[in-house]
Amino acid sequence: MAENTLGRLRNLTSLYLTYQGKVLLLFRQGSRVVNQVWVSSAGGHFEENELNDARACCLRELQEELGISEDALIDLRLRYITLYRTPKELRQNYYFFAELREMGEYPSNEGKTKWFPLEEMPSLKMAFTSKQVTNHYLREGRFSEKLYAGISTGEQMEFIELTEFES
């Protein structure tokens, strides 16, 4: 019988930076987990002190990978939370979106960055959850301020709106 590893969690954050209809993406190179594909502008694993603060992780990764601080952003928002099962762990990813105050060249220590028109994202080779989130965002998410949860069903991801409720 295989070892049950479903108690293992990997918490990650991703940030998509946009500017006037374009998105800054990273071609990830040299990573053990996601390599040779386009991913969000910045992102990564939570540090121990960030486990209850996805926004703090997002801002730290943004500063570390692109040298951008929070004051360069407009309307930083958590838009998607995804859950994806691998043979070894459950991966929870918190996807943020923000508009940059100005467009620029932002080299990354994680690979190469490039600006794309938003509409080109579906044609790019992307990591599974990145592809699912960006496709949903283009179809629906960018036209609202809703927070969505995505659950992997194997070949695709099912998204539902997370609504607030009183406990």
Side-chain angles (χ1 to χ4, degrees), residues 26-166:
L26 169 70
F27 190 73
R28 177 79 77 180
Q29 297 171 310
S31 171
R32 290 178 289 118
V33 178
V34 177
N35 196 31
Q36 302 297 312
V37 293
W38 292 99
V39 295
S40 63
S41 310
H45 301 92
F46 281 52
E47 299 291 334
E48 190 172 320
N49 64 323
E50 297 166 337
L51 288 179
N52 293 315
D53 194 347
R55 189 174 194 277
C57 179
C58 174
L59 291 170
R60 176 186 54 76
E61 291 286 352
L62 177 64
Q63 181 65 50
E64 285 179 5
E65 294 179 12
L66 297 173
I68 299 174
S69 62
E70 183 177 5
D71 62 348
L73 305 178
I74 300 169
D75 200 25
L76 174 65
R77 287 180 185 251
L78 176 62
R79 298 301 312 281
Y80 293 88
I81 303 167
T82 62
L83 188 60
Y84 180 76
R85 180 180 171 185
T86 72
K88 294 184 179 181
E89 63 196 4
L90 291 174
R91 293 184 183 168
Q92 296 179 122
N93 202 329
Y94 298 82
Y95 287 89
F96 289 82
F97 285 75
E99 181 88 2
L100 278 166
R101 293 191 186 279
E102 56 187 61
M103 189 175 188
E105 295 296 319
Y106 299 101
S108 172
N109 58 6
E110 301 283 333
K112 69 177 183 177
T113 57
K114 183 178 176 183
W115 287 98
F116 290 94
L118 286 169
E119 292 74 22
E120 282 187 28
M121 285 195 294
S123 67
L124 300 173
K125 182 180 175 187
M126 300 179 91
F128 174 77
T129 53
S130 296
K131 177 69 89 177
Q132 298 297 312
V133 165
T134 57
N135 285 346
H136 187 274
Y137 178 78
L138 288 174
R139 278 191 325 271
E140 191 172 332
R142 68 178 163 162
F143 304 111
S144 76
E145 294 184 3
K146 297 175 182 176
L147 174 61
Y148 296 96
I151 304 294
S152 169
T153 61
E155 295 297 316
Q156 62 182 6
M157 190 162 277
E158 296 291 328
F159 290 96
I160 60 167
E161 178 187 348
L162 284 177
T163 56
E164 288 185 44
F165 67 94
E166 296 293 324

